[in-house]
Amino acid sequence: NAEQFNKDYLKDAYGTRGGVRWKVHRNQRGVGALTYRGDDPANYSAYELRTKRSEKKDANAWKRLVSFCKVLNDTPTDELHAVLPKVLDIDEVLWYCALENVFLPSDGYMNQGYDYRLYEDKSHRFHLISHDCNEILQTPTRRRGRGRASLTSGPLFNSTNRLRPILHRLLAVPEWRARYLAHVRTIAVRWLNWKVIGPVCRSIHELIADEVARDDKKLFSTRTWKDSLEDARGYQWSLRRLVEERRENLLSHAALLGPW
């Protein structure tokens, strides 16, 4: 299930039904990852304007998107701290990046540069919104695409990749880099902890147990599903093991050793 990215969502999340919504389509080489591709909106075909507006307002929305990409990519690093907060919610996007790094969705901004949503609020500041997060903490045995994050990836994965300017540019600013690392640590310590997240997972398991047992088209046995939380054997990884290995790999990384 996925919540619809519509005005109802905006009202719940941001307290307003106004603003501009964008969908980012599947694309290659950072086309939809907010890289700057010149001033012609035709070069930004990976983005789909989802807000119904007049033709004039549509044109202005495209111009602001292009301008945002130019500011994000071309502003000198020593000027980013003063310029970028005018067009981007900095702390919110740092939390967004921290969540992606900790839980490693196979899609999303960090790994693929697409399958996320973009929202421009009424103050003309942009926000990244998670979408398509069903594949997280994938096992090391699963075949992965080139340059994709894994359980052993550090908290600064893709921070030097120019095709991911949200990571590359923001984490080049020392204050924002420190804040981002603090967010990663907060999530890893408080939530990537089986004593905390385990009971949540068990309650969801119990909620759907009868439906899973009745399902005659699933790709795994009911026993495999029952064991998937904590008691997996052989080739199979339990969710608990994935959580604990990711937590250990993150908290032992040099960038997260503190002091805090």
Side-chain angles (χ1 to χ4, degrees):
N1 292 323
E3 183 175 4
Q4 294 299 307
F5 183 48
N6 55 21
K7 291 183 178 181
D8 293 336
Y9 168 81
L10 296 182
K11 180 65 175 177
D12 289 342
Y14 294 98
T16 177
R17 297 172 65 86
V20 181
R21 289 172 284 123
W22 299 89
K23 179 179 180 180
V24 184
H25 292 287
R26 188 180 182 91
N27 60 85
Q28 301 296 326
R29 292 194 57 78
V31 174
L34 303 173
T35 52
Y36 177 56
R37 303 180 60 79
D39 292 337
D40 187 350
N43 297 331
Y44 296 80
S45 59
Y47 306 88
E48 178 186 347
L49 184 61
R50 300 291 291 177
T51 305
K52 294 181 180 179
R53 306 170 69 85
S54 68
E55 184 175 342
K56 181 179 180 180
K57 288 184 177 179
D58 280 354
N60 290 336
W62 279 104
K63 288 179 181 178
R64 291 195 303 273
L65 174 65
V66 172
S67 175
F68 168 55
C69 291
K70 185 173 184 178
V71 169
L72 174 63
N73 288 267
D74 289 357
T75 301
T77 302
D78 60 355
E79 297 178 16
L80 278 174
H81 195 275
V83 174
L84 199 55
K86 298 176 182 177
V87 292
L88 179 67
D89 188 322
I90 300 297
D91 194 57
E92 184 187 67
V93 80
L94 291 176
W95 277 112
Y96 171 96
C97 293
L99 279 166
E100 284 211 335
N101 183 276
V102 171
F103 289 102
L104 303 171
S106 63
D107 294 313
Y109 184 87
M110 180 180 71
N111 262 324
Q112 297 279 40
Y114 57 76
D115 266 342
Y116 68 96
R117 298 294 182 257
L118 193 63
Y119 168 56
E120 181 195 16
D121 65 29
K122 295 170 71 174
S123 299
H124 302 307
R125 288 208 306 173
F126 283 84
H127 307 256
L128 271 67
I129 297 171
S130 295
H131 178 77
D132 196 10
C133 300
N134 60 308
E135 296 175 339
I136 65 170
L137 296 176
Q138 293 188 41
T139 63
T141 55
R142 174 139 180 195
R143 294 181 63 185
R144 308 189 65 83
R146 182 180 178 183
R148 303 280 288 279
S150 69
L151 286 178
T152 58
S153 297
L156 298 173
F157 176 80
N158 255 349
S159 63
T160 60
N161 184 352
R162 294 181 179 276
L163 297 180
R164 300 292 183 273
I166 288 288
L167 291 164
H168 174 61
R169 300 309 316 280
L170 269 68
L171 300 189
V173 178
E175 179 185 331
W176 295 344
R177 180 188 179 101
R179 186 185 299 187
Y180 162 79
L181 290 173
H183 291 347
V184 170
R185 181 177 179 273
T186 294
I187 297 169
V189 169
R190 296 185 183 180
W191 282 100
L192 203 65
N193 179 342
W194 193 249
K195 292 181 179 179
V196 175
I197 206 170
V200 178
C201 296
R202 281 192 290 273
S203 69
I204 297 171
H205 236 230
E206 293 168 1
L207 179 67
I208 65 173
D210 291 344
E211 298 301 327
V212 172
R214 281 195 289 267
D215 183 4
D216 61 358
K217 296 180 175 60
K218 55 181 174 285
L219 304 178
F220 41 81
S221 69
T222 302
R223 176 59 188 272
T224 297
W225 175 79
K226 287 182 177 178
D227 292 347
S228 65
L229 276 184
E230 300 188 66
D231 302 321
R233 297 174 177 84
Y235 73 91
Q236 186 186 354
W237 284 57
S238 68
L239 183 56
R240 178 173 183 170
R241 182 180 172 191
L242 291 170
V243 166
E244 290 179 342
E245 290 219 5
R246 182 60 179 152
R247 175 185 168 94
E248 181 180 355
N249 287 334
L250 280 174
L251 295 181
S252 62
H253 192 278
L256 291 184
L257 294 181
W260 298 97

